[in-house]
Amino acid sequence: MANRNGSEAMLRRFGRRSGMPDITEVPGGRVIDLPGRGRTYVADIPGPAGAPTLILLHGTACTAMLNWFPVLGALTKNYRVILFDQRWHGHGIRSERFRLTDLADDVIAVADELGVESATCVGYSMGGIVGLLAAHRHPERVRGLVLCATPYRFQEKWRERAFHLSFGALADALGPYSFRRAEERAWRLPELPEHTWAPGRLDQWALTELRSTSGWALAQAIAEIGRFDATEWLATLTAPTAVVITTKDRAIPVYRQLEMATMIPGASIHLLKAGHAGCVTAADRFAAVLRGACADVLARQPDSAVGKSDSAVGQ
């Protein structure tokens, strides 16, 4: 979901026809300070008493709520759900650089601030990359992984290498300028994002969320993501993992998502008949498949409090 014009057109075209819930509000959140890191917007939805915790990690060009709002109702029936805007996105941390390792460490900082000892990370696209890195860098804190529409590397074919190397060099040269422009956008944002709207105005809320991220920030994010390659350490991951493969994806090749699933020990595979923006364009199907993937991962954790009734959902 990295192309702004394409994303805006998609939101206008599909709306409620995509299976998105017909709602007039999303859960509200608050801004929290992460010591030594910055401030970010977080929504913490409790779920049932004693429920296990999911940390939802959004994709490029999205905010946390825009990426995940269609599935919150389904997930909060069984889980405590935490979601937050990642660096340079929406109301996320502003920093003078964009590094995926910083985003992974932000996950743990948010967990610390909210008193979460360990959690299952659920990531979409870029969010899946962040989840992978969090599990790699902090295996004692990540109890499980659900990776949706997620790549494990980009620079495989010569065209990919040529694009990402040249784009990365340009982004590096424009780094300080990109930061200043992203800061200008951030200063114009309200203290808190809107979380209620009039009936029939869901698309306008979604466009406001989409536009809260600067295109200059996205350029830096895309350059950094293009350098990512987890080939050397995927096989060392120990957290129970489920991979949700978007089978009509033109942004992240299906074969690459499948390769990743086979390289992570014990990973289960869950198929979603949708493209890369399936979290919105196929929201109802995505919710069902995601519930099954989460239940599968939780069932493989030794002290899971979630029953196995959801484990077949969407499979």
Side-chain angles (χ1 to χ4, degrees):
M1 300 185 71
N3 182 291
R4 179 182 301 279
N5 293 332
S7 296
E8 290 189 8
M10 176 270 295
L11 288 171
R12 290 192 179 97
R13 177 183 174 189
F14 288 96
R16 287 183 294 276
R17 288 178 293 169
S18 67
M20 288 192 290
D22 185 12
I23 57 177
T24 58
E25 63 178 331
V26 292
R30 59 191 175 95
V31 173
I32 63 172
D33 287 302
L34 303 179
R37 310 189 74 79
R39 306 171 78 233
T40 190
Y41 180 75
V42 176
D44 185 358
I45 310 168
T53 300
L54 303 180
I55 298 179
L56 308 186
L57 303 168
H58 65 79
T60 313
C62 282
T63 63
M65 200 59 70
L66 180 58
N67 197 139
W68 296 109
F69 81 91
V71 300
L72 293 179
L75 295 181
T76 53
K77 293 177 181 179
N78 297 98
Y79 308 103
R80 176 186 179 184
V81 174
I82 296 168
L83 57 162
F84 67 97
D85 286 352
Q86 300 192 78
R87 289 182 183 236
W88 288 42
H89 287 74
H91 286 71
I93 291 172
R94 305 297 165 185
S95 56
E96 294 187 2
R97 67 176 191 177
F98 184 94
R99 295 291 182 268
L100 288 168
T101 50
D102 290 337
L103 273 69
D105 294 346
D106 290 341
V107 176
I108 306 307
V110 168
D112 288 341
E113 187 67 20
L114 298 180
V116 176
E117 182 177 347
S118 61
T120 296
C121 289
V122 182
Y124 202 97
S125 192
M126 178 189 78
I129 292 174
V130 175
L132 281 169
L133 279 167
H136 177 56
R137 293 167 66 85
H138 308 278
E140 73 286 358
R141 303 294 299 275
V142 178
R143 293 173 51 82
L145 285 171
V146 179
L147 308 171
C148 310
T150 298
Y152 72 98
R153 64 172 176 171
F154 285 91
Q155 297 189 35
E156 177 185 4
K157 300 179 179 179
W158 73 265
R159 287 187 179 88
E160 293 175 319
R161 290 194 295 272
F163 169 78
H164 287 293
L165 288 172
S166 59
F167 190 89
L170 177 62
D172 287 345
L174 293 174
Y177 182 73
S178 296
F179 172 70
R180 290 196 301 272
R181 293 299 299 269
E183 277 286 278
E184 291 172 4
R185 173 67 63 88
W187 281 111
R188 294 197 295 269
L189 296 177
E191 176 67 17
L192 296 173
E194 293 182 2
H195 68 277
T196 62
W197 54 89
R201 305 297 288 179
L202 171 61
D203 58 342
Q204 292 301 311
W205 168 82
L207 285 171
T208 299
E209 287 288 291
L210 184 68
R211 291 167 176 166
S212 67
T213 301
S214 166
W216 291 98
L218 297 182
Q220 294 296 318
I222 293 169
E224 172 70 0
I225 291 167
R227 302 182 183 105
F228 178 72
D229 190 340
T231 304
E232 293 185 358
W233 49 264
L234 276 182
T236 70
L237 295 176
T238 58
T241 300
V243 177
V244 175
I245 296 177
T246 39
T247 62
K248 294 186 174 182
D249 203 318
R250 295 183 179 181
I252 308 300
V254 174
Y255 77 87
R256 196 165 292 168
Q257 298 180 59
L258 182 59
E259 282 179 352
M260 181 183 69
T262 63
M263 294 168 69
I264 299 173
S268 60
I269 295 173
H270 307 256
L271 303 180
L272 174 65
K273 189 177 180 181
H276 193 63
C279 56
V280 173
T281 61
D284 49 355
R285 297 197 303 273
F286 176 55
V289 173
L290 184 62
R291 281 182 59 196
C294 290
D296 172 73
V297 167
L298 268 291
R300 287 187 276 144
Q301 296 173 5
D303 55 349
S304 173
V306 176
K308 298 183 180 180
S309 60
D310 277 350
S311 59
V313 175
Q315 299 185 44

